[in-house]
């Protein structure tokens, strides 16, 4: 019988220089920009990725390079999810707006699901982002476990 979920038995090491995704819903963009401005010096030591307008505004505000993806409603959240699945993202800072319904709520839920599945540290507000960005692990390599996707697929297909 196949297992209902993959075991976390594969080791992954996050590098010293982290790949950090920055995302904010419209009602939270200013808050994210204020947070990023406070942490600008720390963020300069890492690779930044963002969705749509957030990426552009962070790059303009901080004068730092930010790899821009599509806007969230146009697939940017799914692009971030793909980076998580491909193990090309190390931290997710996502200031989502609990008061505003989003047309792409299923995409947001899928993104957060992938972050949880692949053991990616996530911050959803300024306080959790402060804790995450000030962690001593931010500038060190960090070993963690992730799902053994290959073994799980093999158990489900009988291969």
């Amino acid at each position: 019988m196949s297992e209902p979920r993959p075991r976390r038995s594969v080791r992954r090491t996050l590098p010293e220089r982290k790949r950090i995704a920055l995302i904010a819903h419209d009602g939270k963009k200013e808050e994210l920009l204020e947070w990023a401005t406070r942490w600008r010096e720390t963020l300069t030591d890492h690779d930044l990725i963002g969705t749509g307008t957030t990426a552009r505004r962070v790059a303009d505000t901080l004068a730092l390079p930010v790899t821009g993806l599509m806007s969230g409603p146009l697939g940017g959240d799914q692009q971030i999810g793909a980076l998580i699945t491909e193990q090309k993202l190390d931290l997710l800072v996502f200031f989502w707006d609990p008061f505003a319904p989003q047309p792409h709520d299923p995409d947001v839920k899928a993104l957060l699901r992938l972050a949880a599945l692949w053991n990616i540290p996530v911050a959803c507000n300024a306080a959790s982002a402060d804790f995450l960005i000030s962690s001593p692990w931010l500038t060190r390599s960090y070993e963690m476990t992730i799902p053994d996707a290959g073994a799980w697929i093999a158990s489900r297909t009988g291969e």
Side-chain angles (χ1 to χ4, degrees):
M1 182 169 156
S2 66
E3 297 188 37
R5 64 182 47 89
R7 292 185 193 156
R8 286 187 189 261
S9 58
V10 172
R11 307 297 290 177
R12 176 180 175 210
T13 302
L14 301 183
E16 291 177 12
R17 183 177 178 89
K18 304 294 188 288
R19 295 161 294 186
I20 303 172
L22 302 173
I23 306 172
H25 285 152
D26 288 346
K28 292 290 187 168
K29 286 191 190 333
E30 289 304 320
E31 187 177 345
L32 177 71
L33 291 171
E34 290 169 12
W35 175 84
T37 299
R38 283 196 321 272
W39 290 100
R40 184 190 184 284
E41 187 175 326
T42 300
L43 292 170
T44 61
D45 295 330
H46 302 282
D47 297 320
L48 305 178
I49 303 158
T51 54
T53 306
T54 304
R56 183 183 47 77
R57 291 190 63 193
V58 170
D60 291 348
T61 300
L62 302 183
L64 292 175
V66 180
T67 300
L69 304 177
M70 298 297 291
S71 171
L74 297 177
D77 296 333
Q78 292 181 348
Q79 288 179 295
I80 296 287
L83 292 173
I84 290 171
T85 302
E86 296 167 356
Q87 299 170 36
K88 294 179 179 175
L89 191 74
D90 305 313
L91 303 175
L92 174 59
V93 176
F94 185 1
F95 284 22
W96 59 275
D97 189 348
F99 288 110
Q102 303 296 325
H104 61 294
D105 273 341
D107 298 335
V108 171
K109 184 176 181 183
L111 173 59
L112 294 173
R113 179 189 167 280
L114 288 173
L117 172 68
W118 291 99
N119 206 15
I120 297 296
V122 178
C124 293
N125 54 44
S128 61
D130 285 344
F131 274 75
L132 192 64
I133 203 87
S134 65
S135 168
W137 291 110
L138 186 69
T139 56
R140 296 187 214 158
S141 61
Y142 176 78
E143 190 170 300
M144 62 188 204
T145 58
I146 61 171
D148 186 347
W152 187 68
I153 290 169
S155 75
R156 297 180 66 82
T157 60
E159 295 177 11

